[in-house]
Amino acid sequence: MLLDFSYYNPTRIHFGKESLQHLGAELANYGKTVLLVYGKSAIKKNGLYDQVLDILREADKTVVELSGVMPNPTYSKMLEGCALVRKHEVDLILAVGGGSVIDCAKGIAVSAYCEEEPFKKYWLDFQPPANKIVSVASILTMAGTGSEMNGGSVITHEEMKIKGGRVFPPEVYPKFSILNPEYTYTVSQYQMVSGVFDTMSHLMEQYFSGSDNNTTDYLIEALLRSSIDNLRVALKNPEDYESRSNIMWNATMALNTVTGLSKSQDWEVHMIEHQLGAYTDCAHGMGLAAISLPYYRHIMPHGIEKFARFAMVVWNIAAEGKTTEELAQAGIDALEAFCTECGIVTSLKELGATEEMLPKIAESSFLLEGGYKKLSSNEVLEILQECF
Ligand code: NZQ
Ligand code: ZN
């Protein structure tokens, strides 16, 4: 049975090789001052920074810049942006980058005029925004998070050692996002596979929950198959437009809320990864991959039919001659083999964790109830030890 839902997504997507052409017309809908938010060096190296600046000048905008947004964006960086918004009375925050840059922009948008302490109010207490929200838009340069079409904003509070994830309501979603797959050609292989695993993880977090026959699950299976096939092609030829465009659109679809409609969801792998990230600053998708393998083996007996379906539909594993348990196991074995094939890192040690960190990560991870088994902190620790 499909659960009841209301669906609304306010983000306009401009997709394709010529999509930057739409920026000028979109800018006309906003006031004079634009805060341009970007990362460390990628958009200056590949020329996108100059192109965007030309269009902003043509549109007669006053441009204020927040540069150097780091992967796993920090709260202090976000507060820097908030101060710029207030000082220059910014009308639009334009994020040019990957998920970290877009998440930081959304955090600024909702926090700049917040009269309380924003991290506590929004990322710890999950209160709804009641203050003025500045409009956000994005130009995506790396595929994976889906931040370009959702309300997610993941911000790391360095002193508290909390990587806080928050899903904001539609007012905080990007008003428009420009997706040109060619911008992703310069993403390193490490970041590309990390991004694709992030997409796959979003899909699996939504898939491995509940047992009803649900159209959303069929959609997820198709997106998983496409992610697997297209990553294989892109690894051989990073400038293959078709595969890079499929990878980019899969990532958007995997977390633009369509694939979560009408069904229960898990998200425990993300909860553990966020704390792993708070301690190690690892690439998000790599952390997810490391945790996913022991996590899914651990919860498999509690959702065995779904894991068997995953093996058959996503990995084309024949059911003949196998028990349901053997089939389910073969599906996760196939996921592990795919990780190895694609150079996905699945050891926490390689991702910068130390043995002393593991209990702290386990204790501080949120424990959710939507998956096939609610974990205890001890079980989280066992899972971390298994992929150490
Ligand atoms: O800093 P620059 O120079 O921009 O380099 C970045 C960064 O080093 C580089 N990069 C991006 N585009 C590039 C490029 N390098 C060359 N060419 C390009 N075109 O890639 C590196 C990683 O970028 P980052 O934005 O950190 O990656 P990603 O998109 O994977 O974002 C990860 C962050 O998003 C959060 C994660 O937790 C993590 O903090 N998430 C956000 C979600 C959401 N908003 O819904 C959901 C996700 O589950 C996730 O938690
Ligand atoms: Zn993710």
Side-chain angles (χ1 to χ4, degrees), residues 232 297 315 317 329-339:
R232 285 183 167 136
R297 290 197 167 103
W315 298 101
I317 296 169
Q329 188 60 52
I332 299 302
D333 290 348
L335 178 67
E336 183 165 18
F338 180 70
C339 288

Side-chain angles (χ1 to χ4, degrees), residues 317-336:
I317 296 169
E320 287 77 37
K322 294 187 187 69
T323 62
T324 308
E325 286 73 16
E326 284 167 349
L327 193 53
Q329 188 60 52
I332 299 302
D333 290 348
L335 178 67
E336 183 165 18

Side-chain angles (χ1 to χ4, degrees), residues 2-209:
L2 270 66
L3 304 175
D4 296 2
F5 65 86
S6 300
Y7 181 64
Y8 169 61
N9 191 314
T11 306
R12 184 187 301 277
I13 297 289
H14 298 290
F15 190 96
K17 293 183 183 183
E18 306 302 328
S19 50
L20 193 62
Q21 281 181 1
H22 297 277
L23 181 58
E26 287 285 6
L27 289 172
N29 299 320
Y30 303 91
K32 188 149 176 71
T33 308
V34 175
L35 175 65
L36 186 63
V37 181
Y38 55 97
K40 290 191 176 152
S41 57
I43 68 161
K44 289 210 167 158
K45 279 192 199 146
N46 66 16
L48 183 57
Y49 172 83
D50 290 331
Q51 289 177 44
V52 171
L53 222 57
D54 283 348
I55 297 170
L56 286 164
R57 281 196 199 110
E58 260 172 50
D60 198 27
K61 300 293 179 187
T62 303
V63 181
V64 180
E65 298 192 20
L66 178 71
S67 63
V69 175
M70 60 295 278
N72 300 315
T74 60
Y75 186 51
S76 54
K77 193 74 195 174
M78 192 199 90
L79 291 178
E80 234 182 86
C82 291
L84 290 174
V85 165
R86 288 191 300 268
K87 181 173 173 201
H88 299 278
E89 298 181 13
V90 164
D91 299 296
L92 175 71
I93 305 174
L94 181 59
V96 187
S100 295
V101 170
I102 306 174
D103 280 13
C104 183
K106 289 182 212 166
I108 296 167
V110 81
S111 304
Y113 295 105
C114 178
E115 283 170 10
E116 295 143 72
E117 207 276 301
F119 196 80
K120 178 172 181 333
K121 177 168 178 171
Y122 291 135
W123 284 270
L124 295 180
D125 296 347
F126 297 99
Q127 289 186 41
N131 47 265
K132 177 181 167 184
I133 299 165
V134 184
S135 296
V136 172
S138 85
I139 301 174
L140 185 66
T141 64
M142 125 139 216
T145 65
S147 188
E148 62 278 10
M149 201 178 179
N150 69 32
S153 173
V154 184
I155 301 293
T156 298
H157 196 300
E158 293 154 290
E159 289 81 43
M160 290 172 102
K161 284 243 174 284
I162 293 178
K163 181 172 164 179
R166 170 71 200 265
V167 181
F168 287 109
E171 299 76 58
V172 187
Y173 286 39
K175 302 290 183 226
F176 64 90
S177 285
I178 290 172
L179 277 60
N180 180 345
E182 288 179 333
Y183 298 156
T184 66
Y185 289 173
T186 51
V187 173
S188 67
Q189 182 171 317
Y190 189 89
Q191 289 295 342
M192 174 176 72
V193 294
S194 174
V196 173
F197 197 91
D198 188 22
T199 298
M200 291 175 67
S201 177
H202 297 157
L203 295 165
M204 291 187 288
E205 297 269 31
Q206 295 165 98
Y207 186 74
F208 289 121
S209 177

Side-chain angles (χ1 to χ4, degrees), residues 198 202 270 284 288:
D198 188 22
H202 297 157
H270 270 69
H284 174 61
L288 294 170

Side-chain angles (χ1 to χ4, degrees), residues 271-283:
M271 293 302 102
I272 304 172
E273 191 289 327
H274 283 179
Q275 282 315 99
L276 174 68
Y279 279 86
T280 63
D281 200 24
C282 68

